[in-house]
Amino acid sequence: MQATRPTDTRVSVHLHSPQNEAPPHPGAGWTRFVCISDTHSGIFRLPYGDVLLHAGDLSSYGALSQLTRTVDWLKSLKHPVKIMIAGNHDVSSYGGSSLAFQLIQYARTTVRSLASAGLYYLEHEPLHFTGPSGKVWKVYGSPAVPVHLDGAFQYASSTEAKAIYQRIPEDTEILITHTPPYRTLDKTRKGQHVGCQVLASRLKKLRHCRLHVFGHIHEDAGARVDGVEGMHRVSVNAAVPLSDNIVVVDMHD
């Protein structure tokens, strides 16, 4: 896993691992995002940050016990804001593709709601939250992926994909999707780029998007930084199963 560090003084990207600790939080006026994906019911050692972003595949195959394990782990973490989406492995045991039903059923059995623990689940929807300095960050989360074998939240045509990604507000600053966009950290072991071309096209119009976090393609985990409309956009494939590294992104408000 590699991270490309920009020259822009408003953003910094680090890799956190037992051998390579992230530097101290940069302080007032900055928000630290800790990015993970594809945990598949596993529990990992994470660095502290202001915001934890989980880009899907919370479970291995959508069993409620697996989701409960992941949600309990996320709830226990000290990050003030924790935002998660689902992925293609989060197949509903109840016959539908919506993970929300299972999460709601689980939440009903707990004393505290998910939101009261600072944990938010997004399924094709936006969320605004206030960072430590008072800045309001605009987030959007979508679990959708191009169709591949059996799984949840999959689309089979560009028409379906356009309908899904057109819903992303143009003022989105933090985008969380399960699939990568085409030719951005989406290369398989066979050397094929399997990210979504429609999502890549949509990102060209999201001129306020400063951070895009995704997963799905485990073997191309990492981060890169591109210049977009006079700013730097950080793209993070946050899949953790094949690496001990966790991507940490510091952004100046």
Side-chain angles (χ1 to χ4, degrees):
M1 175 186 280
Q2 296 181 343
T4 302
R5 293 168 175 81
T7 57
D8 187 351
T9 57
R10 290 172 51 84
V11 61
S12 186
V13 182
H14 318 280
L15 296 180
H16 175 96
S17 71
Q19 297 77 32
N20 182 30
E21 296 286 334
H25 191 291
W30 289 79
T31 302
R32 170 161 287 186
F33 297 89
V34 177
C35 308
I36 61 173
S37 185
D38 299 83
T39 54
H40 296 288
S41 305
I43 292 176
F44 298 84
R45 176 178 173 269
L46 303 180
Y48 180 75
D50 303 302
V51 184
L52 176 65
L53 303 176
H54 193 312
D57 277 359
L58 305 166
S59 65
S60 295
Y61 50 86
L64 188 56
S65 61
Q66 295 179 343
L67 294 175
T68 300
R69 175 178 167 84
T70 298
V71 171
D72 285 348
W73 169 54
L74 294 176
K75 284 176 62 180
S76 73
L77 299 175
K78 302 303 182 183
H79 307 71
V81 177
K82 293 160 285 193
I83 304 171
M84 61 180 177
I85 64 170
N88 58 299
H89 276 264
D90 298 314
V91 182
S92 172
S93 301
Y94 298 93
S97 65
S98 175
L99 181 61
F101 177 77
Q102 292 199 52
L103 289 176
I104 291 169
Q105 290 297 99
Y106 169 68
R108 286 174 180 164
T109 67
T110 64
V111 176
R112 300 176 61 198
S113 69
L114 296 178
S116 68
L119 182 59
Y120 302 90
Y121 170 71
L122 301 182
E123 189 174 312
H124 306 296
E125 59 191 311
L127 172 74
H128 294 178
F129 73 89
T130 303
S133 68
K135 174 180 169 53
V136 177
W137 290 95
K138 299 175 181 179
V139 185
Y140 188 88
S142 171
V145 295
V147 65
H148 176 69
L149 303 176
D150 294 329
F153 306 106
Q154 300 190 83
Y155 50 87
S157 69
S158 60
T159 300
E160 291 178 89
K162 287 176 183 177
I164 289 168
Y165 295 122
Q166 196 61 37
R167 295 169 61 180
I168 305 172
E170 293 196 0
D171 62 351
T172 296
E173 296 169 294
I174 311 297
L175 178 63
I176 314 170
T177 62
H178 189 56
T179 185
Y182 184 62
R183 299 192 72 87
T184 301
L185 301 171
D186 69 333
K187 187 182 290 187
T188 67
R189 292 185 184 88
K190 297 180 179 180
Q192 297 176 317
H193 291 281
V194 295
C196 179
Q197 296 189 38
V198 174
L199 176 57
S201 178
R202 179 62 178 148
L203 276 162
K204 294 178 181 178
K205 298 182 180 180
L206 300 178
R207 296 181 176 89
H208 300 280
C209 181
R210 297 175 59 188
L211 174 60
H212 181 201
V213 182
F214 47 88
H216 194 41
I217 307 304
H218 298 188
E219 53 266 46
D220 209 5
R224 79 180 217 190
V225 184
D226 299 294
V228 179
E229 296 290 329
M231 68 172 186
H232 283 95
R233 174 181 294 157
V234 182
S235 299
V236 179
N237 181 331
V240 299
L242 299 182
S243 174
D244 289 332
N245 294 296
I246 304 296
V247 177
V248 177
V249 180
D250 294 328
M251 286 196 166
H252 195 280
D253 297 348

